[in-house]
Amino acid sequence: SVQDIGQEHYVNPKDRQAFDALPADLRPTATFAAPSGKGLGLGSGVGIVQITEDALEAKGIGGIEAEIQALGARVLETRPDRALVVKGDSKAFSALVKASFIEASLPYAPAFKIDPLTGRQMLADKVRASKQELDVRISTWDPSDANGLLQELKAGRVDTVSLLEDGVTILATVTVADLKNAARDDRV
């Protein structure tokens, strides 16, 4: 299983029905299908791959990362259970889903980017509790993408937007539609 966004939520990348409970517009969508029994495959931009135990033992994480880079992708994060979050283009993802060291793969679904508790916490402040907007933190994978996303959010209908000192996290007040749009953005 692959851990979801640092939360305590796990999904089996090989189980196609694992995503049925997610809203349809936030489910993973594969552009490059994985071989049978190896998950959904990869979409565009960012995905999650699970490395086989044998490959990890034989090559080590450094060797696996070198192979991923040789295919044109790069590792953004590591996750439990031999999983790596990877970023790449169509050519890289097409090759990566077929790589022998991949046990399973799945697109980094927009739903994985939204904390399951978003909008569900009870608020003591009655004014905030009745608001239709959410105060959220939006982080980019690459610091170089933060300013562009910040400017797009400011130009849109987002009420308040500011970049935090870390240079990758944006504090924003958004509607549910704005939040879904941000979750579908490959930079986020």
Side-chain angles (χ1 to χ4, degrees):
S1 22
V2 176
Q3 188 176 17
D4 167 23
I5 294 293
Q7 308 291 326
E8 295 301 320
H9 302 282
Y10 293 83
V11 295
N12 179 350
K14 296 177 184 178
D15 179 6
R16 292 181 178 273
Q17 296 177 346
F19 311 103
D20 289 353
L22 298 176
D25 59 342
L26 297 177
R27 290 181 191 159
T29 304
T31 305
F32 305 99
S36 182
K38 290 192 167 196
L40 296 176
L42 293 170
S44 63
V46 179
I48 303 172
V49 295
Q50 187 173 34
I51 309 305
T52 65
E53 286 185 55
D54 292 343
L56 196 54
E57 278 184 31
K59 301 173 186 182
I61 192 67
I64 296 293
E65 284 192 37
E67 287 201 37
I68 290 171
Q69 287 178 344
L71 294 173
R74 67 186 174 104
V75 175
L76 297 174
E77 294 181 352
T78 60
R79 297 288 168 89
D81 296 331
R82 305 178 321 276
L84 302 172
V85 177
V86 293
K87 185 174 185 177
D89 60 15
S90 298
K91 182 179 177 185
F93 278 9
S94 176
L96 195 54
V97 294
K98 300 172 197 162
S100 63
F101 58 88
I102 300 297
E103 181 173 321
S105 61
L106 71 148
Y108 205 103
F112 298 170
K113 300 175 186 181
I114 302 173
D115 186 311
L117 296 177
T118 301
R120 295 179 187 259
Q121 291 181 322
M122 297 301 292
L123 300 172
D125 181 346
K126 288 183 181 188
V127 172
R128 287 186 65 212
S130 64
K131 266 178 49 169
Q132 295 299 310
E133 292 88 17
L134 303 165
D135 295 325
V136 298
R137 294 178 190 273
I138 302 170
S139 298
T140 58
W141 294 109
D142 293 312
S144 62
D145 290 333
N147 279 324
L149 181 61
L150 177 73
Q151 295 312 315
E152 287 174 27
L153 289 169
K154 283 183 176 182
R157 102 154 212 48
V158 176
D159 294 336
T160 59
V161 183
S162 60
L163 185 63
L164 298 182
E165 289 181 18
D166 68 1
V168 295
T169 306
I170 298 168
L171 183 61
T173 302
V174 298
T175 65
V176 171
D178 295 330
L179 180 61
K180 285 182 174 187
N181 285 337
R184 285 189 286 267
D185 192 315
D186 283 337
R187 297 172 295 183
V188 173

